[in-house]
Amino acid sequence: MTKMLIGRRALLGGMTLGASGLLLPGCDRLNASPGVRSLLAGAEQLHYRSQRRVAGSNALAREYARSDMSPVFRVNGNASPVSPAYLDDARRNFIDWRLIVDGLVARPLALSLSDLGSLPQRAQITRHDCVEGWSAIGKWQGPQLGPILRAAGMSSRANFIVFHCADTSGGIPYYESIDLNDAFHPQTILALLMNDHRLSIPHGAPLRLRVERQLGYKHAKFVMRMEARERLEDLYLGKGGYWEDRADYAWYAGI
Ligand SMILES: Nc1nc2c(c(=O)[nH]1)N[C@H]1C(S)=C(S)[C@@H](COP(=O)(O)O)O[C@H]1N2
Ligand SMILES: [Mo]
C-alpha cells in the first residue's frame, strides 16, 4: 500500500486532469454497459430502461424550497454502527477518519473530512422516499461524487461504484452500489451536512450518499469506502446491496 493512498493535493491535481474529460466514459456507454445489463434481469431491467428513457440520464430530481423542509426527518435502519473503530472515530469527531476510494482506480485516495469539505460543494433540498412508505424533505450538502472519481483516475473498466458502510445487521455489513450514470449525475453527492449541520450519527455521520432519483435504502449512511468495480456478482450475495441480497429489493430503485 505504500504511496497508494494520496490526499488532497493529488485530488485537486487530479480534478484538473479529470476536467479534460479524458477519464469520463461517454453517456451511451453509461446506459448500456454490459455489467449493468447482466446485473438486471427481467422486469427490473424493463423498469430501469424505461425510467432511463423517460427521465433521461441527466434529468434532475425535484428540488424544494426551504419552507418545504420537514420539521422532523425520521431516522431509519441502523442509527449507529457498533464497531469499536467507528465509535472511536466518532469520539474524536472523525478527525482521523478517512474515506477510502479504491478498486478500479489509477490513484487510490484517502480523504479527510476537511479534504472533502474543501472541494466545491453542492446543496440541494430534496424528498427522501423510503420503501416502507414515509417521506421527508431535507437539505443535503457535500461534494459531488463524479469529480472525486475522476481525480482517482477511475478505469474505463469500472461499471459500478460500491459504498461500504461501517454498520452491520446480524453481523452482515451494509453496502450499496450505483451505476456510472448515477455516479456522475449532478445531484449525486457525498453529504457532509444535513439541514445546515454536520451529519448526526443517526443520519449517517460522517458521510452519506445522496442519490436523489432512487429510494431511501440506496442512500448509504456511514460510508467508509468507495470501490469502483467491473461487476457485482462476486461481492457478498451478488445483488449489489444489503437489502437487494437479503430481501430481494430492486437494485435499481428509481422513483
Ligand atoms: N449504512 C446504512 N445506510 C442506510 C441504512 C442502514 O441501515 N445502514 N438504511 C437505509 C434506509 S432503508 C433509509 S430509508 C435511509 C434512512 O436514512 P435516515 O436514517 O437519515 O432517515 O438510510 C438508508 N441507508
Ligand atoms: Mo428505507
Side-chain angles (χ1 to χ4, degrees):
M1 290 295 274
T2 35
K3 289 212 273 180
M4 288 256 303
L5 299 174
I6 53 182
R8 172 156 167 265
R9 188 172 294 273
L11 174 65
L12 296 173
M15 293 185 67
T16 323
L17 176 67
S20 69
L22 278 177
L23 297 161
L24 177 63
C27 278
D28 288 348
R29 199 184 88 75
L30 300 185
N31 268 320
S33 84
V36 172
R37 277 203 311 267
S38 76
L39 178 75
L40 298 167
E44 191 180 345
Q45 177 161 339
L46 256 181
H47 175 66
Y48 174 78
R49 285 238 210 82
S50 59
Q51 282 235 338
R52 284 283 189 250
R53 200 170 306 123
V54 174
S57 58
N58 293 314
L60 295 179
R62 179 167 172 199
E63 293 191 18
Y64 293 80
R66 290 199 72 86
S67 54
D68 297 320
M69 284 165 60
S70 303
V72 176
F73 199 113
R74 226 169 107 160
V75 171
N76 207 38
N78 286 327
S80 175
V82 296
S83 81
Y86 176 89
L87 296 174
D88 226 52
D89 269 343
R91 211 170 297 123
R92 280 173 294 132
N93 247 328
F94 298 103
I95 44 167
D96 298 324
W97 173 92
R98 296 291 182 273
L99 172 70
I100 302 300
V101 183
D102 66 359
L104 293 173
V105 298
R107 297 179 290 277
L109 304 173
L111 303 172
S112 68
L113 283 182
S114 64
D115 292 337
L116 292 160
S118 65
L119 294 171
Q121 306 282 297
R122 188 180 205 283
Q124 55 206 30
I125 300 175
T126 55
R127 196 182 72 195
H128 178 102
D129 293 312
C130 174
V131 73
E132 292 162 24
W134 58 273
S135 299
I137 294 175
K139 180 178 174 188
W140 305 96
Q141 184 184 311
Q144 290 174 317
L145 181 55
I148 297 173
L149 296 174
R150 283 192 211 113
M154 191 183 73
S155 157
S156 59
R157 278 167 47 223
N159 293 312
F160 302 100
I161 306 302
V162 175
F163 300 86
H164 296 279
C165 305
D167 58 323
T168 58
S169 290
I172 296 157
Y174 198 98
Y175 79 103
E176 259 305 340
S177 61
I178 59 177
D179 66 10
L180 299 189
N181 197 309
D182 272 319
F184 287 93
H185 185 274
Q187 287 170 318
T188 299
I189 65 172
L190 297 175
L192 298 163
L193 305 186
M194 174 190 186
N195 298 348
D196 298 316
H197 299 284
R198 286 257 313 252
L199 267 185
S200 65
I201 289 179
H203 288 295
L207 188 74
R208 83 176 298 166
L209 174 66
R210 294 300 307 173
V211 51
E212 302 294 353
R213 300 178 303 173
Q214 297 202 52
L215 289 172
Y217 59 87
K218 301 296 290 187
H219 300 237
K221 305 195 278 189
F222 325 113
V223 175
M224 299 290 117
R225 174 179 165 223
M226 298 200 306
E227 182 196 7
R229 292 180 71 95
E230 186 170 1
R231 62 178 63 86
L232 300 172
E233 285 86 345
D234 48 351
L235 182 64
Y236 297 108
L237 298 187
K239 303 252 184 71
Y242 176 88
W243 286 112
E244 290 88 331
D245 281 346
R246 306 290 134 195
D248 251 0
Y249 282 22
W251 172 77
Y252 184 72
I255 313 176

mmCIF file with all atom_site columns, all heavy atoms in Angstrom, residues 146-162:
data_model
loop_
_atom_site.group_PDB
_atom_site.id
_atom_site.type_symbol
_atom_site.label_atom_id
_atom_site.label_alt_id
_atom_site.label_comp_id
_atom_site.label_asym_id
_atom_site.label_entity_id
_atom_site.label_seq_id
_atom_site.pdbx_PDB_ins_code
_atom_site.Cartn_x
_atom_site.Cartn_y
_atom_site.Cartn_z
_atom_site.occupancy
_atom_site.B_iso_or_equiv
_atom_site.pdbx_formal_charge
_atom_site.auth_seq_id
_atom_site.auth_comp_id
_atom_site.auth_asym_id
_atom_site.auth_atom_id
_atom_site.pdbx_PDB_model_num
ATOM 1   N N   . GLY A 1 146 ? -18.851 12.621 -8.821  1.00 0.00 ? 146 GLY A N   1
ATOM 2   C CA  . GLY A 1 146 ? -18.156 12.483 -10.106 1.00 0.00 ? 146 GLY A CA  1
ATOM 3   C C   . GLY A 1 146 ? -16.722 13.001 -10.090 1.00 0.00 ? 146 GLY A C   1
ATOM 4   O O   . GLY A 1 146 ? -15.790 12.276 -10.473 1.00 0.00 ? 146 GLY A O   1
ATOM 5   N N   . PRO A 1 147 ? -16.510 14.251 -9.653  1.00 0.00 ? 147 PRO A N   1
ATOM 6   C CA  . PRO A 1 147 ? -15.144 14.794 -9.675  1.00 0.00 ? 147 PRO A CA  1
ATOM 7   C C   . PRO A 1 147 ? -14.167 13.988 -8.817  1.00 0.00 ? 147 PRO A C   1
ATOM 8   O O   . PRO A 1 147 ? -12.973 13.895 -9.145  1.00 0.00 ? 147 PRO A O   1
ATOM 9   C CB  . PRO A 1 147 ? -15.317 16.211 -9.108  1.00 0.00 ? 147 PRO A CB  1
ATOM 10  C CG  . PRO A 1 147 ? -16.747 16.561 -9.400  1.00 0.00 ? 147 PRO A CG  1
ATOM 11  C CD  . PRO A 1 147 ? -17.516 15.265 -9.305  1.00 0.00 ? 147 PRO A CD  1
ATOM 12  N N   . ILE A 1 148 ? -14.655 13.382 -7.741  1.00 0.00 ? 148 ILE A N   1
ATOM 13  C CA  . ILE A 1 148 ? -13.769 12.575 -6.894  1.00 0.00 ? 148 ILE A CA  1
ATOM 14  C C   . ILE A 1 148 ? -13.335 11.314 -7.645  1.00 0.00 ? 148 ILE A C   1
ATOM 15  O O   . ILE A 1 148 ? -12.169 10.912 -7.607  1.00 0.00 ? 148 ILE A O   1
ATOM 16  C CB  . ILE A 1 148 ? -14.476 12.220 -5.570  1.00 0.00 ? 148 ILE A CB  1
ATOM 17  C CG1 . ILE A 1 148 ? -14.783 13.499 -4.791  1.00 0.00 ? 148 ILE A CG1 1
ATOM 18  C CG2 . ILE A 1 148 ? -13.623 11.261 -4.737  1.00 0.00 ? 148 ILE A CG2 1
ATOM 19  C CD1 . ILE A 1 148 ? -15.624 13.293 -3.538  1.00 0.00 ? 148 ILE A CD1 1
ATOM 20  N N   . LEU A 1 149 ? -14.262 10.722 -8.376  1.00 0.00 ? 149 LEU A N   1
ATOM 21  C CA  . LEU A 1 149 ? -13.921 9.524  -9.158  1.00 0.00 ? 149 LEU A CA  1
ATOM 22  C C   . LEU A 1 149 ? -12.930 9.875  -10.270 1.00 0.00 ? 149 LEU A C   1
ATOM 23  O O   . LEU A 1 149 ? -12.001 9.114  -10.555 1.00 0.00 ? 149 LEU A O   1
ATOM 24  C CB  . LEU A 1 149 ? -15.188 8.895  -9.748  1.00 0.00 ? 149 LEU A CB  1
ATOM 25  C CG  . LEU A 1 149 ? -16.179 8.368  -8.711  1.00 0.00 ? 149 LEU A CG  1
ATOM 26  C CD1 . LEU A 1 149 ? -17.466 7.898  -9.396  1.00 0.00 ? 149 LEU A CD1 1
ATOM 27  C CD2 . LEU A 1 149 ? -15.567 7.243  -7.886  1.00 0.00 ? 149 LEU A CD2 1
ATOM 28  N N   . ARG A 1 150 ? -13.148 11.031 -10.875 1.00 0.00 ? 150 ARG A N   1
ATOM 29  C CA  . ARG A 1 150 ? -12.198 11.448 -11.921 1.00 0.00 ? 150 ARG A CA  1
ATOM 30  C C   . ARG A 1 150 ? -10.826 11.689 -11.330 1.00 0.00 ? 150 ARG A C   1
ATOM 31  O O   . ARG A 1 150 ? -9.810  11.305 -11.911 1.00 0.00 ? 150 ARG A O   1
ATOM 32  C CB  . ARG A 1 150 ? -12.687 12.732 -12.601 1.00 0.00 ? 150 ARG A CB  1
ATOM 33  C CG  . ARG A 1 150 ? -13.791 12.468 -13.581 1.00 0.00 ? 150 ARG A CG  1
ATOM 34  C CD  . ARG A 1 150 ? -14.049 13.706 -14.449 1.00 0.00 ? 150 ARG A CD  1
ATOM 35  N NE  . ARG A 1 150 ? -15.458 13.704 -14.799 1.00 0.00 ? 150 ARG A NE  1
ATOM 36  C CZ  . ARG A 1 150 ? -16.337 14.600 -14.386 1.00 0.00 ? 150 ARG A CZ  1
ATOM 37  N NH1 . ARG A 1 150 ? -15.948 15.613 -13.640 1.00 0.00 ? 150 ARG A NH1 1
ATOM 38  N NH2 . ARG A 1 150 ? -17.591 14.502 -14.729 1.00 0.00 ? 150 ARG A NH2 1
ATOM 39  N N   . ALA A 1 151 ? -10.793 12.316 -10.154 1.00 0.00 ? 151 ALA A N   1
ATOM 40  C CA  . ALA A 1 151 ? -9.496  12.590 -9.513  1.00 0.00 ? 151 ALA A CA  1
ATOM 41  C C   . ALA A 1 151 ? -8.770  11.303 -9.177  1.00 0.00 ? 151 ALA A C   1
ATOM 42  O O   . ALA A 1 151 ? -7.538  11.248 -9.209  1.00 0.00 ? 151 ALA A O   1
ATOM 43  C CB  . ALA A 1 151 ? -9.705  13.423 -8.254  1.00 0.00 ? 151 ALA A CB  1
ATOM 44  N N   . ALA A 1 152 ? -9.524  10.260 -8.862  1.00 0.00 ? 152 ALA A N   1
ATOM 45  C CA  . ALA A 1 152 ? -8.893  8.980  -8.538  1.00 0.00 ? 152 ALA A CA  1
ATOM 46  C C   . ALA A 1 152 ? -8.477  8.235  -9.806  1.00 0.00 ? 152 ALA A C   1
ATOM 47  O O   . ALA A 1 152 ? -7.854  7.179  -9.724  1.00 0.00 ? 152 ALA A O   1
ATOM 48  C CB  . ALA A 1 152 ? -9.852  8.122  -7.707  1.00 0.00 ? 152 ALA A CB  1
ATOM 49  N N   . GLY A 1 153 ? -8.827  8.768  -10.966 1.00 0.00 ? 153 GLY A N   1
ATOM 50  C CA  . GLY A 1 153 ? -8.449  8.113  -12.218 1.00 0.00 ? 153 GLY A CA  1
ATOM 51  C C   . GLY A 1 153 ? -9.193  6.809  -12.417 1.00 0.00 ? 153 GLY A C   1
ATOM 52  O O   . GLY A 1 153 ? -8.595  5.764  -12.700 1.00 0.00 ? 153 GLY A O   1
ATOM 53  N N   . MET A 1 154 ? -10.510 6.883  -12.300 1.00 0.00 ? 154 MET A N   1
ATOM 54  C CA  . MET A 1 154 ? -11.321 5.674  -12.449 1.00 0.00 ? 154 MET A CA  1
ATOM 55  C C   . MET A 1 154 ? -11.068 5.023  -13.811 1.00 0.00 ? 154 MET A C   1
ATOM 56  O O   . MET A 1 154 ? -11.005 5.684  -14.829 1.00 0.00 ? 154 MET A O   1
ATOM 57  C CB  . MET A 1 154 ? -12.802 6.035  -12.313 1.00 0.00 ? 154 MET A CB  1
ATOM 58  C CG  . MET A 1 154 ? -13.680 4.812  -12.184 1.00 0.00 ? 154 MET A CG  1
ATOM 59  S SD  . MET A 1 154 ? -15.405 5.283  -12.129 1.00 0.00 ? 154 MET A SD  1
ATOM 60  C CE  . MET A 1 154 ? -15.642 5.733  -13.848 1.00 0.00 ? 154 MET A CE  1
ATOM 61  N N   . SER A 1 155 ? -10.942 3.726  -13.789 1.00 0.00 ? 155 SER A N   1
ATOM 62  C CA  . SER A 1 155 ? -10.651 2.969  -15.006 1.00 0.00 ? 155 SER A CA  1
ATOM 63  C C   . SER A 1 155 ? -11.884 2.882  -15.905 1.00 0.00 ? 155 SER A C   1
ATOM 64  O O   . SER A 1 155 ? -13.019 2.888  -15.426 1.00 0.00 ? 155 SER A O   1
ATOM 65  C CB  . SER A 1 155 ? -10.208 1.558  -14.604 1.00 0.00 ? 155 SER A CB  1
ATOM 66  O OG  . SER A 1 155 ? -10.429 0.650  -15.666 1.00 0.00 ? 155 SER A OG  1
ATOM 67  N N   . SER A 1 156 ? -11.647 2.762  -17.200 1.00 0.00 ? 156 SER A N   1
ATOM 68  C CA  . SER A 1 156 ? -12.780 2.606  -18.122 1.00 0.00 ? 156 SER A CA  1
ATOM 69  C C   . SER A 1 156 ? -13.412 1.224  -17.973 1.00 0.00 ? 156 SER A C   1
ATOM 70  O O   . SER A 1 156 ? -14.465 0.962  -18.537 1.00 0.00 ? 156 SER A O   1
ATOM 71  C CB  . SER A 1 156 ? -12.326 2.828  -19.562 1.00 0.00 ? 156 SER A CB  1
ATOM 72  O OG  . SER A 1 156 ? -11.320 1.896  -19.866 1.00 0.00 ? 156 SER A OG  1
ATOM 73  N N   . ARG A 1 157 ? -12.797 0.333  -17.193 1.00 0.00 ? 157 ARG A N   1
ATOM 74  C CA  . ARG A 1 157 ? -13.413 -0.979 -16.944 1.00 0.00 ? 157 ARG A CA  1
ATOM 75  C C   . ARG A 1 157 ? -14.471 -0.921 -15.851 1.00 0.00 ? 157 ARG A C   1
ATOM 76  O O   . ARG A 1 157 ? -15.235 -1.870 -15.668 1.00 0.00 ? 157 ARG A O   1
ATOM 77  C CB  . ARG A 1 157 ? -12.345 -2.001 -16.542 1.00 0.00 ? 157 ARG A CB  1
ATOM 78  C CG  . ARG A 1 157 ? -11.602 -2.603 -17.742 1.00 0.00 ? 157 ARG A CG  1
ATOM 79  C CD  . ARG A 1 157 ? -10.358 -3.371 -17.306 1.00 0.00 ? 157 ARG A CD  1
ATOM 80  N NE  . ARG A 1 157 ? -10.629 -4.262 -16.197 1.00 0.00 ? 157 ARG A NE  1
ATOM 81  C CZ  . ARG A 1 157 ? -9.811  -4.408 -15.136 1.00 0.00 ? 157 ARG A CZ  1
ATOM 82  N NH1 . ARG A 1 157 ? -8.700  -3.717 -15.053 1.00 0.00 ? 157 ARG A NH1 1
ATOM 83  N NH2 . ARG A 1 157 ? -10.119 -5.242 -14.179 1.00 0.00 ? 157 ARG A NH2 1
ATOM 84  N N   . ALA A 1 158 ? -14.502 0.172  -15.101 1.00 0.00 ? 158 ALA A N   1
ATOM 85  C CA  . ALA A 1 158 ? -15.459 0.266  -13.982 1.00 0.00 ? 158 ALA A CA  1
ATOM 86  C C   . ALA A 1 158 ? -16.872 0.464  -14.508 1.00 0.00 ? 158 ALA A C   1
ATOM 87  O O   . ALA A 1 158 ? -17.101 1.241  -15.440 1.00 0.00 ? 158 ALA A O   1
ATOM 88  C CB  . ALA A 1 158 ? -15.072 1.422  -13.068 1.00 0.00 ? 158 ALA A CB  1
ATOM 89  N N   . ASN A 1 159 ? -17.809 -0.264 -13.946 1.00 0.00 ? 159 ASN A N   1
ATOM 90  C CA  . ASN A 1 159 ? -19.231 -0.098 -14.269 1.00 0.00 ? 159 ASN A CA  1
ATOM 91  C C   . ASN A 1 159 ? -20.067 0.335  -13.077 1.00 0.00 ? 159 ASN A C   1
ATOM 92  O O   . ASN A 1 159 ? -21.187 0.811  -13.250 1.00 0.00 ? 159 ASN A O   1
ATOM 93  C CB  . ASN A 1 159 ? -19.819 -1.419 -14.776 1.00 0.00 ? 159 ASN A CB  1
ATOM 94  C CG  . ASN A 1 159 ? -19.247 -1.826 -16.119 1.00 0.00 ? 159 ASN A CG  1
ATOM 95  O OD1 . ASN A 1 159 ? -19.177 -1.015 -17.041 1.00 0.00 ? 159 ASN A OD1 1
ATOM 96  N ND2 . ASN A 1 159 ? -18.809 -3.066 -16.222 1.00 0.00 ? 159 ASN A ND2 1
ATOM 97  N N   . PHE A 1 160 ? -19.554 0.113  -11.878 1.00 0.00 ? 160 PHE A N   1
ATOM 98  C CA  . PHE A 1 160 ? -20.325 0.369  -10.658 1.00 0.00 ? 160 PHE A CA  1
ATOM 99  C C   . PHE A 1 160 ? -19.446 1.030  -9.603  1.00 0.00 ? 160 PHE A C   1
ATOM 100 O O   . PHE A 1 160 ? -18.244 0.787  -9.562  1.00 0.00 ? 160 PHE A O   1
ATOM 101 C CB  . PHE A 1 160 ? -20.819 -0.955 -10.054 1.00 0.00 ? 160 PHE A CB  1
ATOM 102 C CG  . PHE A 1 160 ? -21.664 -1.774 -10.983 1.00 0.00 ? 160 PHE A CG  1
ATOM 103 C CD1 . PHE A 1 160 ? -21.117 -2.849 -11.669 1.00 0.00 ? 160 PHE A CD1 1
ATOM 104 C CD2 . PHE A 1 160 ? -23.009 -1.470 -11.172 1.00 0.00 ? 160 PHE A CD2 1
ATOM 105 C CE1 . PHE A 1 160 ? -21.896 -3.611 -12.531 1.00 0.00 ? 160 PHE A CE1 1
ATOM 106 C CE2 . PHE A 1 160 ? -23.786 -2.226 -12.027 1.00 0.00 ? 160 PHE A CE2 1
ATOM 107 C CZ  . PHE A 1 160 ? -23.240 -3.301 -12.714 1.00 0.00 ? 160 PHE A CZ  1
ATOM 108 N N   . ILE A 1 161 ? -20.105 1.800  -8.745  1.00 0.00 ? 161 ILE A N   1
ATOM 109 C CA  . ILE A 1 161 ? -19.442 2.301  -7.542  1.00 0.00 ? 161 ILE A CA  1
ATOM 110 C C   . ILE A 1 161 ? -20.133 1.657  -6.344  1.00 0.00 ? 161 ILE A C   1
ATOM 111 O O   . ILE A 1 161 ? -21.365 1.730  -6.213  1.00 0.00 ? 161 ILE A O   1
ATOM 112 C CB  . ILE A 1 161 ? -19.531 3.840  -7.437  1.00 0.00 ? 161 ILE A CB  1
ATOM 113 C CG1 . ILE A 1 161 ? -19.006 4.508  -8.720  1.00 0.00 ? 161 ILE A CG1 1
ATOM 114 C CG2 . ILE A 1 161 ? -18.764 4.329  -6.200  1.00 0.00 ? 161 ILE A CG2 1
ATOM 115 C CD1 . ILE A 1 161 ? -17.586 4.181  -9.085  1.00 0.00 ? 161 ILE A CD1 1
ATOM 116 N N   . VAL A 1 162 ? -19.336 1.022  -5.500  1.00 0.00 ? 162 VAL A N   1
ATOM 117 C CA  . VAL A 1 162 ? -19.860 0.361  -4.301  1.00 0.00 ? 162 VAL A CA  1
ATOM 118 C C   . VAL A 1 162 ? -19.532 1.219  -3.082  1.00 0.00 ? 162 VAL A C   1
ATOM 119 O O   . VAL A 1 162 ? -18.419 1.742  -2.968  1.00 0.00 ? 162 VAL A O   1
ATOM 120 C CB  . VAL A 1 162 ? -19.245 -1.044 -4.153  1.00 0.00 ? 162 VAL A CB  1
ATOM 121 C CG1 . VAL A 1 162 ? -19.679 -1.690 -2.837  1.00 0.00 ? 162 VAL A CG1 1
ATOM 122 C CG2 . VAL A 1 162 ? -19.636 -1.926 -5.327  1.00 0.00 ? 162 VAL A CG2 1
#
